[in-house]
Amino acid sequence: MSSQPEASDLHVSDELVIKIKDMHKWYGSFHVLRDVNLDVYRGERIVICGPSGSGKSTLIRCINRLEEHQQGDIIVDNVELTNDLKNIDAIRREVGMCFQHFNLFPHLTVMENCALAPIWVKQVPRKEAEATAMKYLERVKIPEQADKYPGQLSGGQQQRVAIARSLCMNPRIMLFDEPTSALDPEMIKEVLDVMIELAKEGMTMLCVTHEMGFAKTVANRVIFMDGGQIIEENNPHEFFDNPQHDRTKLFLSQILAH
Amino acid sequence: MSTEQSYPVGEHPSLPPPTSEVGIIGWVRHNLFSSTTNIVITVLTIYLLYVILPPLLNWIIFDAVFSADSRDDCRAIAKAGGHELGACWAFIGKRFEIFVYGFYPVEERWRINLSFFLMLAALLPVLFDHIAYRKQGLWFSLIAPFVIGWLLLGGMGLTPVSTDKFGGFMLTLVIGVTGIVGSLPLGIALALGRQSHMPAMRMVCVAFIEFIRGVPLITLLFVASTMLNYFLPPGTTFDLLLRVLIMVTLFSAAYIAEVIRGGLQALPKGQIEAADSMGLKYWQSMRLIILPQALKISIPGIVNTFIGLYKDTTLVIIIGLFDPLGMGRASLADTKWQGLSTEIYVFVAIFFFVSCFSMARYSLYLEKKLHTGH
């Protein structure tokens, strides 16, 4: 683990890239997110954890409008998320996302998965898009799988393709929604390694995960959520060694118990 | 390790399977004689084939008469041959052209033949993707329907032929192929409309689908043939065949829409979320991500609907159009050939079977080709 940088080694700029202010969200009459406030600066690696149903996935899905918030403001890269489709498109071009179940397109090859969005959303010529895709597939160490279909790959390989696919859009922010929760234990490391590489390169990352080792080594901030609220946020050292809130202590004692 | 391995761990070579598992003997043993029940079924099947096949083959081929001038002629030929009369196919032979071309003027029938080959040529690039010049071929497929329409109806240099001269297999193909080609895009649009977030759009689509599905096709055909006159301004003439084409297309579009909706619902929500998160627009997501997968899942249901539609074209007999079945029934009135209904119906059945079986095989081929999983 010595090759992995300490959180303090990584540079965080003072440029504000995501601002969430007094944000509320309801599913029907169910109040999922309650008064969430969060500022994210360029280069930050934020890990969001909490019990299931605490709203952590919903929170990051609000950032690229997979979920709609009903009250408060979300500003991404100086663009405010409203119902204006132009703003939503602009934000989605800047924000990449990886899902728990990869969500690769099973009818397209790995290469086609990666080149699709640049070709259709950014109007990049096909040749160029494929060259970029190859570059990122090499970075996640599976260039040899480019012509296979997702169904022929292991879970870890699929998630790495999903990361490469997001990177092909050259995003400035990456959202990870439990990227390792659906993986076999042996494959979690290969995905985390790719994410650590990404962090080292200075990518702004918001990551919902239960990988506390990842949080300790990569995150510069850990956020704990419960009941739709941010209960506690701190740097990883303080968060794990000196949690303030009783709910955080209980959560940590449960997930670190065995 | 308690048991001794003959090879070091991980170095055990792949051995050939025992001979009882492979080859003809293996296959027969596995599939025909694997258990008592299986043996009983195998023996019974062989016995049934022994009972049914010889008389059937005799009737269709060995005792059949293939050329004669009347039914009595058929009988005489069979008697001269020293056997009982099987099928009198001579009847079909004499009527063959009318079965194929309907009442289309004899000197203009080349137009139907040409249309048929144009149709095949237009279908090839649509149905198969590994053929040369496919891109140009698809452009041809796009204009072919208009060329065929012009050929069949005439005008602009060709002798006009009115649609009441259409009949036989040609009529079946015209209705069947138009219905299939028209109902797929309409069905896709209806299925997407039914899932739309816009309530008005959704309600229109649901109302259309439920209304059309809730009414028998025959009723719709009657509406097409009689009722429309009441709704349209007096004096408008509106070709009967065109009305039938529209009704058949709408009818099968409603079914196709429901089949495709099933496919759409089978897709995980993550697919559209992934497409959204990458910034694809609605129509891009539909065209590139959602529909290719939903249609693939729906292939068996879609082809099922098409086969149903194709066979339902025989219902037009009720509103006075002469499809092969109608043609056959009309032929039965001929006194020279009285009482040969079996031959007629077997012949028509074979025609429909060949068409529908081809569609079924194509659907299997397509499913296999599009399978990308493990």
Side-chain angles (χ1 to χ4, degrees), chain A residues 40-242:
Chain A
V40 181
Y41 293 89
R42 169 133 355 267
E44 278 206 283
R45 289 87 46 207
I46 297 178
V47 162
I48 303 169
C49 58
S52 55
S54 59
K56 51 196 190 312
S57 286
T58 311
L59 171 61
I60 68 165
R61 287 160 61 88
C62 280
I63 294 173
N64 66 350
R65 225 347 127 97
L66 288 184
E67 306 285 354
E68 191 180 338
H69 64 285
Q70 281 86 27
Q71 230 178 70
D73 305 320
I74 301 179
I75 299 163
V76 182
D77 244 351
N78 295 322
V79 180
E80 188 176 351
L81 260 183
T82 57
N83 281 324
D84 189 342
L85 286 176
K86 232 168 61 198
N87 286 4
I88 296 175
D89 284 342
I91 286 172
R92 283 176 176 169
R93 271 194 294 263
E94 297 299 315
V95 180
M97 185 163 197
C98 289
F99 300 85
Q100 180 178 4
H101 297 289
F102 333 130
N103 298 354
L104 293 176
F105 306 130
H107 62 301
L108 301 176
T109 63
V110 165
M111 175 57 82
E112 289 166 337
N113 263 281
C114 292
L116 182 90
I119 290 173
W120 291 93
V121 179
K122 290 194 160 171
Q123 275 85 42
V124 176
R126 176 174 295 273
K127 274 245 168 69
E128 199 181 308
E130 287 182 349
T132 313
M134 208 57 195
K135 188 181 93 189
Y136 285 112
L137 286 175
E138 269 159 22
R139 231 165 87 183
V140 299
K141 301 187 184 64
I142 33 176
E144 71 281 1
Q145 314 282 15
D147 294 324
K148 288 198 179 160
Y149 287 96
Q152 297 166 309
L153 306 184
S154 74
Q157 290 173 323
Q158 289 192 46
Q159 192 61 292
R160 284 187 282 152
V161 171
I163 295 173
R165 178 174 74 173
S166 298
L167 294 178
C168 282
M169 284 295 280
N170 205 10
R172 305 180 70 189
I173 301 161
M174 283 289 290
L175 308 174
F176 291 89
D177 190 359
E178 305 203 28
T180 55
S181 304
L183 296 177
D184 288 345
E186 281 186 309
M187 294 169 182
I188 291 177
K189 187 176 175 297
E190 63 186 53
V191 171
L192 290 182
D193 283 347
V194 168
M195 292 168 63
I196 291 166
E197 282 298 313
L198 210 54
K200 280 190 200 166
E201 287 159 25
M203 177 67 79
T204 310
M205 295 163 73
L206 274 84
C207 191
V208 173
T209 183
H210 296 121
E211 294 297 328
M212 290 304 132
F214 175 79
K216 280 178 189 165
T217 51
V218 178
N220 70 313
R221 221 177 347 152
V222 181
I223 289 175
F224 176 70
M225 288 184 73
D226 190 26
Q229 287 177 296
I230 294 181
I231 303 278
E232 185 164 349
E233 60 171 292
N234 216 329
N235 66 58
H237 283 304
E238 285 294 310
F239 182 84
F240 288 109
D241 299 340
N242 187 21

Side-chain angles (χ1 to χ4, degrees), chain B residues 28-328:
Chain B
V28 167
R29 206 146 78 186
H30 266 288
N31 294 292
L32 299 181
F33 299 104
S34 61
S35 67
T36 325
T37 326
N38 200 342
I39 291 172
V40 171
I41 292 172
T42 303
V43 171
L44 265 179
T45 311
I46 291 173
Y47 175 73
L48 274 177
L49 287 177
Y50 167 75
V51 172
I52 293 170
L53 267 188
L56 194 66
L57 287 177
N58 279 341
W59 187 81
I60 293 181
I61 300 168
F62 301 118
D63 293 346
V65 174
F66 291 89
S67 72
D69 287 325
S70 69
R71 192 175 186 194
D72 293 334
D73 209 10
C74 265
R75 284 208 192 92
I77 289 170
K79 207 168 182 185
H83 56 76
E84 278 192 52
L85 176 59
C88 183
W89 294 126
F91 180 31
I92 306 293
K94 284 273 184 270
R95 294 268 164 180
F96 188 74
E97 297 214 321
I98 210 165
F99 265 114
V100 173
Y101 300 107
F103 310 112
Y104 214 81
V106 180
E107 63 278 13
E108 303 292 340
R109 282 179 185 167
W110 62 269
R111 281 153 56 176
I112 296 184
N113 295 339
L114 182 56
S115 301
F116 182 72
F117 286 111
L118 285 180
M119 180 194 80
L120 292 185
L123 282 178
L124 270 180
V126 177
L127 297 183
F128 303 99
D129 56 359
H130 285 301
I131 60 170
Y133 301 110
R134 181 166 191 239
K135 228 176 192 159
Q136 292 88 323
L138 285 173
W139 282 109
F140 171 71
S141 309
L142 218 57
I143 51 170
F146 301 101
V147 178
I148 291 173
W150 168 62
L151 275 174
L152 292 182
L153 293 169
M156 288 192 297
L158 289 174
T159 325
V161 177
S162 86
T163 54
D164 54 13
K165 296 276 188 287
F166 286 22
F169 295 136
M170 169 254 184
L171 182 65
T172 302
L173 279 176
V174 167
I175 302 176
V177 173
T178 312
I180 286 171
V181 170
S183 65
L184 188 60
L186 190 57
I188 293 173
L190 283 169
L192 292 179
R194 194 171 182 163
Q195 300 224 315
S196 164
H197 294 296
M198 291 174 270
M201 168 79 95
R202 200 167 53 228
M203 269 164 54
V204 168
C205 291
V206 171
F208 177 87
I209 291 169
E210 297 303 346
F211 173 73
I212 298 275
R213 276 205 307 174
V215 177
L217 178 56
I218 298 189
T219 314
L220 289 176
L221 290 177
F222 274 130
V223 170
S225 76
T226 58
M227 296 276 286
L228 277 183
N229 289 341
Y230 294 103
F231 301 130
L232 293 169
T236 18
T237 51
F238 197 14
D239 191 83
L240 179 61
L241 181 64
L242 183 60
R243 299 181 200 182
V244 169
L245 290 178
I246 292 172
M247 281 304 179
V248 167
T249 305
L250 295 183
F251 187 77
S252 103
Y255 280 86
I256 294 284
E258 284 302 279
V259 169
I260 292 175
R261 187 166 69 99
L264 289 171
Q265 283 176 347
L267 288 189
K269 229 176 121 218
Q271 291 291 308
I272 191 79
E273 286 178 354
D276 280 349
S277 75
M278 295 193 305
L280 289 170
K281 303 240 189 311
Y282 174 82
W283 284 111
Q284 290 176 332
S285 313
M286 288 302 136
R287 191 161 70 78
L288 300 165
I289 310 297
I290 303 303
L291 282 177
Q293 297 184 63
L295 290 178
K296 185 187 123 187
I297 301 173
S298 318
I299 289 171
I302 292 175
V303 174
N304 194 29
T305 310
F306 283 164
I307 288 177
L309 154 87
Y310 193 77
K311 292 187 299 180
D312 279 352
T313 57
T314 50
L315 289 174
V316 297
I317 194 176
I318 288 181
I319 56 167
L321 296 179
F322 284 89
D323 79 311
L325 215 51
M327 223 41 118

Side-chain angles (χ1 to χ4, degrees), chain B residues 3-39:
Chain B
T3 54
E4 202 175 313
Q5 294 265 311
S6 43
Y7 294 92
V9 174
E11 287 181 28
H12 199 301
S14 303
L15 301 174
T19 43
S20 63
E21 300 298 305
V22 290
I24 295 175
I25 295 177
W27 187 89
V28 167
R29 206 146 78 186
H30 266 288
N31 294 292
L32 299 181
F33 299 104
S34 61
S35 67
T36 325
T37 326
N38 200 342
I39 291 172

